[in-house]
Amino acid sequence: MTTKVKHIAVLTSGGDAPGMNAAIRAVVRSCSYYNIKCSGVFKGYEGLIHNQIEELNARSVRNIINKGGTFLKSARSKDFRAVEGRQKAYANLKKNNIDALVVIGGDGSFTGALKLSEEFNFPVVGIPGTIDNDINGTDYTIGYDTALNTVVEAIDKIRDTASSHNRLFLIEVMGRDAGDIALNAGIGAGAEEILIPEENMGIDRLIESLKKSKKTGKTSSIIVVAEGDTSGKNIFELGQYVEEHLDGYEVRVSVLGHIQRGGAPSCYDRVLASKLGVGAVEALLEGKSEVMIGIVHKTVTIVPLKEALDKRIHKHDMLIKVADITSV
């Protein structure tokens, strides 16, 4: 493996996701393995602009593989959206003799990385880290599996209350543009209905479905709602409408919110993050840039960042069919 890259920096950007620390660890230790320098950028692109950069070694990342969040911190940067901000970031990269950058984050983070690379001819590689699993070119993103398990565990506990009191619970989960969490967690937790942005079933159909379920003997119900679903202006309005048009249930609303982001990463996320972290360093050492390291059919792959930023085509037909069949 021949390369001119002698110093790689790594940062996390956007919303945190369980497994980001494992990815940072893999990047740092891969650099150590290949005998090149590694630095961590604190607070994402904002830290890059303000030169919050520290050299890391293999011991710097000990005991973090099991930790949620990101020890490098994350922040959204308005300044980086401007050319002047990216110029400052690039100047700090050169000031610290950094040859390439690994960016762990989602589509917003990748957009920034691509602009930095295009404007200053600076090598960048992205690692997909977001609980929404909404990045094109990879089957899974870091944090998604952990978030799913967190959501299922929460719904299991809510179901205990629902069944004890003949209640209908509407549970909102994250997913502004993608229904992956809602659909998979809903099936895994045995939800009666699942509402996602990609499939607008309509309020009337929802009411009819719930009435049918009640006639078959169901005394409680769980409806999982992705935050991007448009059946109502918000989940509270949706809950009120359901209560007004459906007799026999007490309706309750539960918004899981940021609990979905936290917690120790699952084994799957730790292993995935480790694979992608190693892959990112090796891609840079092979002279690649403006690419994302993903996982497709259990194989680590390299995808152009522009392709990763394309709108993902969600194919949920099979899962929707499974949800419909198993919720009768």
Side-chain angles (χ1 to χ4, degrees), residues 49-236:
I49 290 173
H50 296 288
N51 199 30
Q52 294 178 268
I53 302 171
E54 294 181 14
E55 188 172 342
L56 303 174
N57 58 42
R59 300 288 74 79
S60 302
V61 291
R62 65 184 182 274
N63 299 329
I64 68 169
I65 193 171
N66 60 321
K67 305 295 185 184
T70 163
F71 94 96
L72 288 179
K73 310 298 182 184
S74 185
R76 303 188 189 279
S77 176
K78 291 183 179 179
D79 291 339
F80 194 78
R81 296 175 185 175
V83 175
E84 295 78 9
R86 295 192 292 273
Q87 177 67 59
K88 290 179 182 178
Y90 174 70
N92 285 327
L93 288 167
K94 301 308 290 183
K95 178 181 178 180
N96 287 275
N97 297 312
I98 293 168
D99 302 313
L101 180 66
V102 174
V103 174
I104 306 169
D107 54 1
S109 305
F110 289 171
T111 298
L114 188 58
K115 284 185 176 294
L116 182 70
S117 179
E118 290 176 339
E119 292 172 354
F120 303 101
N121 192 30
F122 193 83
V124 298
V125 167
I127 295 176
T130 166
I131 67 168
D132 291 328
N133 201 42
D134 60 351
I135 301 296
N136 192 44
T138 183
D139 291 342
Y140 300 104
T141 58
I142 295 168
Y144 172 61
D145 183 72
T146 305
L148 277 184
N149 285 290
T150 298
V151 171
V152 169
E153 182 179 356
I155 295 174
D156 286 348
K157 292 178 179 179
I158 290 172
R159 184 179 289 281
D160 290 343
T161 293
S163 59
S164 297
H165 296 275
N166 291 351
R167 286 176 178 162
L168 185 152
F169 270 87
L170 280 76
I171 303 171
E172 184 182 272
V173 301
M174 286 184 171
R176 184 172 291 108
D177 301 307
D180 291 57
I181 291 177
L183 193 51
N184 285 273
I187 292 173
E192 279 66 37
E193 294 293 344
I194 305 167
L195 307 182
I196 60 175
E198 299 92 330
E199 299 284 337
N200 185 5
M201 72 181 294
I203 296 180
D204 292 337
R205 183 187 158 199
L206 172 64
I207 297 297
E208 288 305 311
S209 177
L210 291 171
K211 286 180 178 178
K212 182 179 177 181
S213 294
K214 190 166 180 59
K215 286 180 181 178
T216 64
K218 289 192 177 181
T219 57
S220 65
S221 288
I222 298 290
I223 303 173
V224 178
V225 185
E227 61 182 321
D229 177 71
T230 57
S231 297
K233 289 183 179 179
N234 56 59
I235 193 170
F236 296 99

Side-chain angles (χ1 to χ4, degrees), residues 10 19-28 104 127 142 270 273-274 276-278:
V10 57
M20 280 185 164
N21 278 327
I24 297 166
R25 174 181 180 269
V27 170
V28 174
I104 306 169
I127 295 176
I142 295 168
R270 298 182 199 192
S274 299
L276 301 188
V278 171

